[in-house]
Amino acid sequence: MGSWLDETLTWGNALIFFLWGVILLAIVLGFVTYAIFFERKVIGWMQFRIGPNRVGPWGLLQTVADITKLLIKEDTIPRKADRVLFILAPALAYVPAFAVLAVIPYTQNLYFADINVGLLYYVALSGISTIAIVLGGWASNNKYALLGGMRSAAQMISYEVPLVISVVGVVMLSGSLNLRTIAEQQGDWFWQWNFLPQIIGFVIFVIAAVSELNRTPFDLPEAESELVAGYHVEYSGFRFAFFMLTEYVYVYAIAALTTVLFLGGWHAPAPFLDFVPGIIWFLLKFSFIVFFLFWIRATMPRIRIDQLMGLGWKVLLPLAILNVFLTAVYMELFIKG
């Protein structure tokens, strides 16, 4: 491995890789900053409120002010907390959230890592955030934070199972775990994209993804009325900001993954629209998914914990398994036949 790196990796290439990583980080941080702003605006619009409109022109600097406030606030650590784990948990939540973005293909030629098991890589790394949330709740030495962490672990594990099984049908149709291959093999017409032949898997994936993001109506780990803000109740300043940053980075990742798996990636909805660059189609689909997540938060109330767990194990999991069998039957009758 050392000799291979010496022969193929130059200082110039390493600098280019580093600069591309910095650019991606800047793009994601910019997305997080203004996703929060637009979420508040969209929710305000849907609920007949104004939303942020004071700081900067049209309120565009409101989120910048909020982030600045978080960064300069005092960093407090409870006296009886497990100091090492308390400090480690926010970083352990954020690093996987950013690392999964390496395998997202934006166009046929614009991607960072073309890994044959890119989907498996995404699933494996995203699961680490569950450990970080449990660590944050347990290390705080606070019973409400611990309840929030345990509730979050139960929820995320319960919904990660149907989430993974829901994409098995897509993998079967494409014959690959490579995200770029999955996007490329979807047809040139929108009805050939995976969201129609895999409509059951698509619906399960979206519901499970919302739960994985801990967003309304599945935001029980952060239920303010029950758990006083849940697993991060003892966090302040930039450590709290890391947890919030993780949530919105995963919004970016889930929206991009949904676009690649089910919405044709960079493909135009019809061949006569191919004159529009693929990156534009990708961003339009990506933006629609993000808006959809905001829409759900603005309109749906929080559900009870027993309803949430019942939905995951009694409804979504059996449907996800059924989708795998239906996909196998479809392939046997109509593709192989």
Side-chain angles (χ1 to χ4, degrees):
M1 178 63 74
S3 61
W4 181 84
L5 288 174
D6 291 338
E7 292 174 4
T8 61
L9 185 64
T10 65
W11 284 106
N13 290 338
L15 179 60
I16 292 173
F17 294 153
F18 174 77
L19 291 177
W20 272 113
V22 171
I23 291 172
L24 178 62
L25 177 61
I27 292 173
V28 173
L29 292 179
F31 166 83
V32 169
T33 301
Y34 284 98
I36 298 172
F37 170 79
F38 283 112
E39 180 174 27
R40 295 172 67 183
K41 277 291 190 181
V42 166
I43 293 176
W45 169 63
M46 289 185 172
Q47 298 175 349
F48 295 101
R49 296 185 287 104
I50 296 175
N53 69 335
R54 296 286 182 177
V55 184
W58 306 291
L60 286 171
L61 297 180
Q62 179 62 60
T63 308
V64 176
D66 293 340
I67 293 174
T68 304
K69 179 188 73 173
L70 283 176
L71 294 178
I72 63 177
K73 286 184 72 173
E74 180 183 4
D75 175 34
T76 60
I77 300 178
R79 184 166 56 89
K80 294 186 178 181
D82 188 318
R83 189 178 183 88
V84 175
L85 295 181
F86 187 88
I87 294 172
L88 178 64
L92 191 60
Y94 172 70
V95 171
F98 185 75
V100 298
L101 302 180
V103 295
I104 300 294
Y106 300 95
T107 69
Q108 190 171 9
N109 299 315
L110 180 58
Y111 54 89
F112 288 89
D114 188 22
I115 303 177
N116 287 334
V117 290
L119 183 57
L120 184 62
Y121 168 90
Y122 183 103
V123 171
L125 280 187
S126 63
I128 298 177
S129 295
T130 305
I131 302 174
I133 289 174
V134 174
L135 280 181
W138 185 82
S140 299
N141 195 31
N142 179 307
K143 60 184 178 183
Y144 297 107
L146 179 60
L147 280 174
M150 295 303 293
R151 182 182 280 192
S152 182
Q155 174 178 330
M156 295 179 75
I157 292 172
S158 299
Y159 278 81
E160 195 163 339
V161 176
L163 179 76
V164 174
I165 298 177
S166 69
V167 300
V168 171
V170 173
V171 174
M172 292 168 66
L173 289 176
S174 62
S176 175
L177 287 167
N178 186 306
L179 291 177
R180 194 160 69 97
T181 302
I182 292 174
E184 285 177 346
Q185 291 188 355
Q186 296 178 64
D188 294 328
W189 294 92
F190 71 90
W191 59 75
Q192 296 174 326
W193 298 346
N194 286 330
F195 80 95
L196 279 179
Q198 285 292 305
I199 187 64
I200 298 176
F202 177 61
V203 172
I204 295 170
F205 181 87
V206 171
I207 296 173
V210 174
S211 181
E212 281 285 293
L213 294 171
N214 292 333
R215 292 179 61 84
T216 306
F218 305 116
D219 59 337
L220 291 170
E222 304 167 7
E224 298 90 348
S225 59
E226 305 166 39
L227 299 172
V228 201
Y231 62 90
H232 50 56
V233 64
E234 295 289 358
Y235 283 87
S236 64
F238 74 95
R239 300 190 201 282
F240 174 80
F242 261 66
F243 277 122
M244 293 298 99
L245 181 64
T246 298
E247 177 180 327
Y248 281 91
V249 172
Y250 271 125
V251 168
Y252 179 102
I254 284 292
L257 186 65
T258 306
T259 301
V260 171
L261 292 179
F262 294 100
L263 300 180
W266 55 86
H267 291 291
F272 59 84
L273 294 173
D274 282 343
F275 65 91
V276 179
I279 187 65
I280 301 298
W281 290 117
F282 185 94
L283 291 176
L284 287 174
K285 299 169 190 177
F286 171 87
S287 300
F288 172 76
I289 296 296
V290 173
F291 173 78
F292 179 74
L293 294 174
F294 296 166
W295 185 6
I296 291 177
R297 180 171 181 179
T299 55
M300 297 191 69
R302 179 182 296 139
I303 66 175
R304 298 197 314 263
I305 184 67
D306 60 316
Q307 294 172 329
L308 177 135
M309 300 302 286
L311 176 65
W313 291 108
K314 297 178 182 179
V315 179
L316 296 186
L317 181 58
L319 282 177
I321 296 174
L322 175 64
N323 181 62
V324 174
F325 282 103
L326 292 177
T327 303
V329 172
Y330 169 79
M331 292 180 65
E332 184 66 30
L333 295 179
F334 297 101
I335 297 180
K336 293 183 179 180

